Amino acid sequence: MDWIIGAVCALIVAGAAYAKKSLTLSGCLAAVIMGTIYYGAGNLFWFGTLLLFFITSTLFSKFRKDRKQELEKSYAKTGNRDAGQVLANGGIGMFLVLGNWVLPHPAWMYAFIGVMATVTSDTWATEWGSLSRKPPRSVVTWKVLTPGTSGGVSLLGTLAAALGGALIGVGAFFFSWIAGIGSLNLLSWTCVGLVGGLAGAFADSYLGATVQYMYRCTVCGREVEVSEHCGHKTVRARGWSWMSNDLVNVLSSVIGGCLAIGLGIILAS
């Protein structure tokens, strides 16, 4: 029955997102499969956390969209997510759900919250940071960057990342309490989400500033994540050819998840 409930709920949420053009068709199908597994192999703790990330991030992607449209042309990820972006954000969590289903242990839960806090923090930082009146600075050199440049951080974006991670931690407490599987108190879960989310978000920025494959627009000269900009093909600017934006998201999520495991075990002891 849990698998059926998961499939129905995932279909409703993903279908609504597809209708609002927050997901492409491939993204919608991936979200349905993912949501079914999150609830079928897990429970409200896993599925609710996924929904908390997806709903808040989707709402923020629509907020003041007119001010973000020009910057979004530089990003590999946009508000209209395809299957690759859906899996990059929630794929690791799906494997953690299955791992806990096979061999239950609190460490799976801590890792999951660290991963979901990372993708939430990163998404919130991007959405809110793009609205900052001050230009971002390089997370490596601290030099002022053009808005939209990968590896840039801002005070507004950092605050958003902290709030996003903390929210996932707060949600983890309430969802685990409702599901009857609570292992940490509210403050501890909030710390796990906050630390895991910020660590993962900064790891994402660091990888974006150092090894992510980036292009340069031959028209405006801007460094971008896409192979076409200003209506023309872009050229290679820097980075490793295989280090895509989606892979950066995955690696940063692993970092956030690993830190969350360590912190969760310490706080639970």
Side-chain angles (χ1 to χ4, degrees):
M1 180 60 69
D2 286 343
W3 291 90
I4 296 176
I5 294 174
V8 172
C9 291
L11 185 59
I12 293 173
V13 175
Y18 175 70
K20 293 290 185 179
K21 297 184 178 180
S22 295
L23 292 173
T24 64
L25 180 58
S26 67
C28 178
L29 294 175
V32 170
I33 295 173
M34 187 179 297
T36 301
I37 294 175
Y38 268 64
Y39 197 94
N43 48 45
L44 184 62
F45 170 78
W46 309 87
F47 188 76
T49 302
L50 177 67
L51 281 185
L52 185 59
F53 154 70
F54 181 73
I55 292 174
T56 57
S57 298
T58 299
L59 289 176
F60 286 149
S61 71
K62 304 298 182 183
F63 180 68
R64 295 193 176 181
K65 190 173 179 63
D66 55 325
R67 289 184 56 183
K68 302 175 185 176
Q69 285 181 340
E70 185 61 33
L71 288 180
E72 283 190 349
K73 296 176 182 178
S74 303
Y75 298 144
K77 57 181 179 182
T78 65
N80 194 13
R81 297 177 175 88
D82 59 19
Q85 292 166 325
V86 170
L87 291 173
N89 286 324
I92 296 178
M94 184 171 60
F95 285 109
L96 293 172
V97 173
L98 292 172
N100 186 73
W101 185 44
V102 175
L103 186 64
H105 192 279
W108 297 107
M109 299 169 61
Y110 305 148
F112 173 69
I113 293 305
V115 168
M116 296 311 298
T118 293
V119 297
T120 302
S121 293
D122 180 47
T123 302
W124 283 33
T126 299
E127 297 298 341
W128 284 97
S130 62
L131 298 176
S132 176
R133 296 185 181 276
K134 294 184 178 181
R137 290 180 177 270
S138 169
V139 72
V140 176
T141 65
W142 208 239
K143 291 182 179 179
V144 175
L145 300 175
T146 303
T149 302
S150 185
V153 296
S154 66
L155 177 59
L156 182 59
T158 301
L159 290 175
L163 289 174
L167 177 66
I168 292 298
V170 172
F173 169 75
F174 285 105
F175 290 136
S176 63
W177 177 69
I178 294 172
I181 55 173
S183 58
L184 296 176
N185 58 35
L186 175 59
L187 180 59
S188 295
W189 270 124
T190 303
C191 288
V192 170
L194 176 63
V195 173
L198 279 178
F202 274 105
D204 186 281
S205 294
Y206 180 79
L207 292 172
T210 55
V211 298
Q212 181 178 337
Y213 190 82
M214 298 296 295
Y215 303 86
R216 188 172 302 282
C217 179
T218 57
V219 177
C220 67
R222 178 178 293 178
E223 192 176 88
V224 297
E225 297 178 347
V226 291
S227 59
E228 185 174 323
H229 195 261
C230 293
H232 291 76
K233 291 290 184 179
T234 52
V235 296
R236 178 176 180 174
R238 61 174 175 84
W240 300 340
S241 59
W242 49 271
M243 186 61 71
S244 65
N245 177 260
D246 285 342
L247 183 54
V248 166
N249 289 341
V250 170
L251 293 176
S252 59
S253 295
V254 170
I255 292 172
C258 288
L259 283 178
I261 291 176
L263 183 57
I265 290 175
I266 292 172
L267 294 175
S269 61

